[in-house]
Amino acid sequence: MGGCAGSRRRLSHSEEETAPEPRPPLLDRKGVDWKNAVGFWLLGLCNNFSYVVMLSAAHDILSHQRAPGNQSHVDPGPTPIPHNSSSRFDCNPVSTAAVLLADILPTLAIKLLAPLGLHLLPYSPRVFVSGVCAAGSFILVAFSHSMGTSLCGVVLASISSGLGEITFLSLTAFYPRAVIAWWSSGTGGAGLLGALSYLGLTQAGLSPQHTLLSMLGIPALMLASYFFLLTSPGPQDPGGEEEAETAARQPLISSEAPELKPDYSPNLSLQERWTVFKGLLWHIIPLVVVYFAEYFINQGLFELLFFRNTSLSHAQQYRWYQMLYQAGVFASRSSLRCCRIRFTWALALLQCLNLAFLLVDVWFSFLPSIYLVFLIILYEGLLGGAAYVNTFHNIALETSDEHREFAMAAACISDTLGISLSGLLALPLHDFLCHLS
């Protein structure tokens, strides 16, 4: 009896030595969740930052070009391009919609081509390319001596934003649905902080060139957030519960973290993808309409909503419009926890009414104060941000697990398509109105 007992005690001791590590406590799991939440917020912030800054700088990009051939060490400053003085709108020769198109058409191309092969690439190389393009955009526009070079820099910002958005939204399929709200809030924060930082630094006396160069830390923050802050969601084909739990606590740069690769392509046939896409049209179409209306306002009408009875210059008025719009977007994209909207068609209708009202004001100039326009633009941003976050939240709720990654990537086309259409129509509107005597 005693021997048997001793044997059992020795066996128990041996089992203790070889027993697997206990699963992490709930507090540790919550810590991982918060790291991912903050990680996606920062990724949303950094991904959209260069895109927003380029739109905020659109008036400066089109209003000024640096004197070519100047090799002196003293920067003579920007050389103004003469405005159309014969028009009551104080127009640039080229609409700010030109910057919008350079900032959105490459994104549209990326999102259209993604299902043909881009989605097969692992996530990490895509994130790295996105960060490099964002940094290149700031440098190229900052040191540009011509409008063409500046627009090439804007194109790099577009590539960065488009590649990043389709990558990170697809990545949310591997994490709890709550990260969609954090991502959306981060993209709203990019709008607010991007527009506010450009406005604040230029108002403080910093040149547009030095303002852009001061923002080079943002692409570095994006790479750090992805590789060091996000934790792995676990192996896509885990060998066991312990392996999955251990991997889920590793940063994505860790050698123990499994490489994240898109996994919907081998499982879904073209017919299945088409079926899923058709089911998404109920969500996609209203978001296209919302973004068409709001960016027609932003890049087609902002420049024409010019008030001479204020101390703000034309360029300052444009920057304030962009900042207030982005403030509304940030507030509504961060509101998912307290306000959820299922029928986004209502938001599309309200945004179209917004567009019609401001278009009439551009023609008749009946609003007496710029502060009324400020309120309308803030409201416009609230509608746009609410449409974005609720659309993707509804898609995440209504699609099955096997379809969710593809559905999130496919729905990315909505905002980009609406923005592209608005830019194409805003250019002839600008030319028509600015040539009125």
Side-chain angles (χ1 to χ4, degrees):
M1 289 287 292
C4 290
S7 174
R8 283 196 299 270
R9 283 193 299 271
R10 284 194 297 273
L11 181 61
S12 175
H13 181 67
S14 174
E15 286 175 344
E16 286 181 7
E17 290 179 343
T18 60
E21 293 183 5
R23 295 182 64 186
L26 181 61
L27 183 61
D28 192 21
R29 182 70 255 174
K30 286 183 177 179
V32 171
D33 291 340
W34 271 105
K35 285 183 69 177
N36 290 329
V38 173
F40 271 98
W41 193 90
L42 289 173
L43 289 173
L45 172 75
C46 298
N47 184 71
N48 282 27
F49 197 89
S50 60
Y51 167 82
V52 169
V53 167
M54 295 305 161
L55 292 184
S56 297
H59 193 274
D60 294 324
I61 290 173
L62 295 176
S63 295
H64 301 86
Q65 60 182 355
R66 297 191 178 277
N70 190 320
Q71 303 297 327
S72 66
H73 294 289
V74 179
D75 186 356
T79 303
I81 299 175
H83 288 194
N84 184 352
S85 57
S86 64
S87 170
R88 63 187 174 93
F89 295 112
D90 188 35
C91 298
N92 278 312
V94 181
S95 168
T96 52
V99 175
L100 174 65
L101 289 175
D103 211 9
I104 200 63
L105 288 181
T107 295
L108 179 63
I110 287 172
K111 292 181 179 181
L112 288 175
L113 294 175
L116 302 180
L118 179 63
H119 64 282
L120 298 176
L121 295 174
Y123 284 102
S124 296
R126 287 195 255 167
V127 174
F128 181 77
V129 171
S130 179
V132 170
C133 287
S137 70
F138 289 130
I139 294 172
L140 200 57
V141 175
F143 290 105
S144 169
H145 290 271
S146 69
M147 187 185 302
T149 305
S150 295
L151 291 179
C152 287
V154 176
V155 167
L156 283 181
S158 177
I159 293 172
S160 170
S161 176
L163 183 61
E165 184 179 20
I166 198 170
T167 298
F168 296 130
L169 273 174
S170 298
L171 191 62
T172 62
F174 297 102
Y175 293 86
R177 291 192 190 101
V179 299
I180 297 174
W182 287 96
W183 157 267
S184 299
S185 176
T187 58
L192 179 62
L193 294 178
L196 189 59
S197 61
Y198 188 82
L199 170 67
L201 291 174
T202 53
Q203 288 278 96
L206 207 61
S207 69
Q209 179 188 40
H210 291 113
T211 298
L212 292 173
L213 292 176
S214 70
M215 298 172 177
L216 282 172
I218 297 297
L221 178 60
M222 180 175 74
L223 296 177
S225 300
Y226 176 79
F227 287 107
F228 296 102
L229 190 55
L230 280 192
T231 59
S232 171
Q236 293 164 303
D237 185 21
E241 186 178 354
E242 296 172 37
E243 180 182 342
E245 195 68 53
T246 300
R249 299 195 303 273
Q250 303 297 327
L252 290 181
I253 200 171
S254 170
S255 59
E256 298 180 33
E259 185 178 17
L260 279 177
K261 296 180 180 180
D263 71 349
Y264 60 75
S265 51
N267 302 325
L268 297 182
S269 66
L270 287 176
Q271 180 62 39
E272 287 176 309
R273 293 185 202 180
W274 175 242
T275 301
V276 172
F277 182 78
K278 286 193 296 183
L280 294 174
L281 290 177
W282 175 257
H283 301 291
I284 288 176
I285 293 175
L287 192 58
V288 170
V289 173
V290 167
Y291 270 83
F292 169 80
E294 71 184 68
Y295 273 84
F296 195 96
I297 295 170
N298 292 3
Q299 305 307 128
L301 304 185
F302 274 7
E303 186 186 11
L304 306 177
L305 291 166
F306 176 48
F307 287 81
R308 301 180 187 273
N309 58 343
T310 177
S311 60
L312 296 174
S313 69
H314 195 175
Q316 289 171 335
Q317 289 180 41
Y318 182 86
R319 295 170 195 159
W320 272 103
Y321 291 157
Q322 289 286 352
M323 192 278 294
L324 289 167
Y325 161 76
Q326 298 294 353
V329 170
F330 174 63
S332 56
R333 288 195 182 188
S334 305
S335 66
L336 189 60
R337 289 180 176 270
C338 58
C339 180
R340 296 181 181 179
I341 302 170
R342 179 174 176 79
F343 297 104
T344 52
W345 284 97
L347 300 175
L349 176 61
L350 291 172
Q351 198 70 291
C352 288
L353 293 175
N354 225 6
L355 168 60
F357 182 82
L358 289 176
L359 189 58
V360 171
D361 178 66
V362 166
W363 187 264
F364 293 106
S365 300
F366 60 84
L367 289 177
S369 171
I370 192 174
Y371 297 103
L372 293 175
V373 177
F374 283 171
L375 289 175
I376 295 170
I377 290 173
L378 182 64
Y379 167 64
E380 174 211 346
L382 290 170
L383 292 177
Y388 181 93
V389 67
N390 282 281
T391 294
F392 285 103
H393 177 71
N394 293 336
I395 290 173
L397 287 178
E398 296 175 16
T399 53
S400 62
D401 291 343
E402 62 177 325
H403 294 156
R404 188 170 299 121
E405 185 185 8
F406 172 75
M408 299 298 280
C412 282
I413 195 68
S414 309
D415 56 344
T416 309
L417 182 59
I419 295 170
S420 301
L421 292 173
S422 69
L424 291 172
L425 290 180
L427 281 172
L429 174 73
H430 172 276
D431 292 340
F432 171 72
L433 293 176
C434 289
H435 285 87
L436 292 176
S437 56

